[in-house]
């Protein structure tokens, strides 16, 4: 099949030609735009640090499941709701944790934000918690044929859209100071393991506190110890993250690590200044 010819408009700048920008030839420019636009946005909005929430777009809060069951006669839908009910409390936990971490961040005045993938489910819950307490709420949305749509709890200036997964992942990590992973499917697994790989291989300079929330779900879904038993990872790699089952536990762990890191950085900076004198 012959390659389709572009049709530039006479006198029009190439970057204004939508046909060109959507073509294979325009791909490098699309990629670059997804690198540079978020950088500009975060700088102008003074976002310096983020706490990232991962989790399923399909998660529904318990009250929403109850609402949808009422009067529902569709057996397939009722079965789906029954499956989702097993992890429904994750929504409420993510919202509460977003609120508490948001309050903690607000007191520090260090450009913190709650960052999610911007869609429904756990992402919505994390952003909702941030919005509840006035913390900047970031959504890194991805263009997908289903499930993904921006949730209503994103700051307008921080509602970003991506076409490429790899650039979106770059921005998840770039500002991250902590990560919380709630129950999820393939997408959540993909994001979580990529982040753990980057931390494991020292591609991320600072030790990142990683919480894997709901140990019952995750230990049933993944046989973590078997990775170490078979030599696929080192036993100490299991210390790269912490299982938590309550909001209190997750909050205390994350803020404890971040407070300690801040104290170490302050001491290091102070020692450097003393040496200069």
């Amino acid at each position: 099949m012959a390659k389709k010819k572009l049709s530039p408009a006479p006198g029009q700048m190439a970057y204004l030609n939508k046909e060109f920008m959507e073509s294979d030839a325009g791909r490098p420019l699309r990629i670059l735009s997804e690198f540079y636009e978020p950088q500009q946005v975060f700088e102008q909005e003074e976002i310096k640090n983020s706490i990232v929430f991962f989790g399923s777009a399909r998660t529904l809060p318990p009250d929403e499941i109850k609402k949808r069951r009422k009067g529902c006669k569709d057996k397939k839908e009722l079965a789906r709701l029954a499956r989702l009910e097993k992890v429904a409390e994750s929504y409420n936990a993510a919202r509460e944790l977003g609120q508490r971490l948001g309050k903690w961040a607000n007191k520090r005045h260090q450009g913190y934000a709650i960052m999610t993938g911007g869609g429904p489910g756990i992402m919505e819950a994390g952003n909702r918690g941030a919005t509840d307490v006035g913390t900047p709420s970031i959504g890194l949305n991805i263009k997908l044929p289903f499930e993904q749509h921006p949730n209503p709890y994103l700051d307008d200036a921080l509602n970003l859209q991506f076409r490429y997964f790899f650039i979106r992942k770059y921005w998840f990590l770039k500002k991250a100071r902590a990560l919380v992973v709630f129950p999820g499917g393939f997408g959540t697994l993909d994001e979580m393991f990529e982040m753990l790989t980057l931390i494991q291989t020292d591609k991320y300079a600072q030790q990142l506190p990683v919480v894997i929330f709901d140990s019952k779900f995750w230990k049933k879904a993944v046989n973590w110890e078997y990775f170490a038993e078979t030599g696929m990872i080192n036993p100490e790699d299991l210390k790269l993250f912490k299982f938590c089952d309550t909001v209190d536990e997750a909050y205390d762990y994350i803020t404890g690590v971040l407070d300690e890191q801040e104290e170490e950085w302050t001491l290091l900076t102070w020692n450097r200044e003393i040496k200069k004198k």
Side-chain angles (χ1 to χ4, degrees):
M1 182 181 292
K3 191 173 182 179
K4 184 181 178 182
K5 291 184 178 181
L6 290 174
S7 303
Q12 183 183 55
M13 303 300 291
Y15 57 81
L16 295 176
N17 186 339
K18 185 176 180 180
E19 185 180 352
F20 167 69
M21 291 298 294
E22 289 292 327
S23 70
D24 288 346
R27 182 176 292 113
L29 297 178
R30 295 197 300 270
I31 290 172
L32 283 173
S33 70
E34 293 193 6
F35 271 119
Y36 286 112
E37 185 195 36
Q39 179 177 312
Q40 177 69 26
V41 169
F42 293 147
E43 285 179 359
Q44 69 187 25
E45 297 299 319
E46 300 182 338
I47 303 299
K48 299 176 182 177
N49 302 294
S50 67
I51 298 175
V52 179
F53 282 43
F54 287 155
S56 178
R58 305 182 185 194
T59 307
L60 295 172
D63 57 346
E64 179 64 22
I65 290 178
K66 184 178 180 180
K67 178 181 175 181
R68 294 191 184 192
R69 272 183 172 154
K70 192 173 181 179
C72 180
K73 297 180 180 180
D74 186 330
K75 291 183 179 180
K76 288 186 177 180
E77 176 62 9
L78 289 172
R80 186 182 77 89
L81 293 173
R83 292 193 295 270
L84 291 175
E85 189 173 32
K86 296 178 181 179
V87 293
E89 282 299 331
S90 293
Y91 183 100
N92 291 340
R95 181 181 179 184
E96 182 182 348
L97 187 58
Q99 291 172 341
R100 294 186 60 182
L101 289 173
K103 288 181 180 179
W104 173 89
N106 292 346
K107 294 177 182 178
R108 271 143 185 80
H109 305 290
Q110 295 174 340
Y112 268 96
I114 300 297
M115 178 183 287
T116 79
I122 291 298
M123 296 173 279
E124 175 186 291
N127 290 129
R128 188 174 181 179
T131 300
D132 288 340
V133 295
T135 305
S137 182
I138 302 172
L140 305 186
N141 276 281
I142 188 76
K143 186 177 180 181
L144 295 176
F146 57 90
E147 285 182 358
Q148 188 76 9
H149 58 269
N151 70 65
Y153 301 102
L154 304 174
D155 292 357
D156 288 341
L158 297 170
N159 183 356
L160 303 175
Q161 185 77 22
F162 290 82
R163 182 167 182 161
Y164 300 103
F165 272 107
F166 75 98
I167 307 175
R168 181 180 184 238
K169 290 175 182 176
Y170 168 83
W171 281 113
F172 272 133
L173 187 60
K174 180 67 175 176
K175 301 290 184 182
R177 293 291 308 280
L179 169 65
V180 190
V181 186
F182 286 88
F186 290 164
T188 303
L189 285 164
D190 172 56
E191 292 164 343
M192 173 176 66
F193 279 118
E194 182 147 8
M195 293 283 262
L196 289 175
T197 300
L198 291 170
I199 297 168
Q200 177 200 48
T201 55
D202 293 326
K203 294 296 183 181
Y204 192 73
Q206 186 169 290
Q207 186 65 39
L208 195 73
V210 178
V211 164
I212 298 183
F213 199 92
D214 190 345
S215 61
K216 181 180 178 181
F217 172 89
W218 284 112
K219 289 184 178 181
K220 191 169 184 178
V222 180
N223 190 337
W224 302 89
E225 287 73 20
Y226 195 62
F227 284 132
E229 288 175 18
T230 54
M232 298 299 100
I233 63 172
N234 294 324
E236 56 266 29
D237 290 334
L238 294 173
K239 297 179 182 179
L240 294 175
F241 54 86
K242 180 179 177 62
F243 288 111
C244 292
D245 293 307
T246 67
V247 171
D248 285 344
E249 188 180 9
Y251 174 83
D252 290 343
Y253 174 65
I254 290 172
T255 57
V257 173
L258 294 182
D259 284 339
E260 183 179 343
Q261 289 177 349
E262 185 178 339
E263 289 175 7
E264 290 175 354
W265 177 254
T266 301
L267 182 60
L268 180 62
T269 303
W270 183 79
N271 286 335
R272 284 175 178 171
E273 292 299 319
I274 292 295
K275 288 179 180 179
K276 287 180 181 179
K277 295 178 181 179

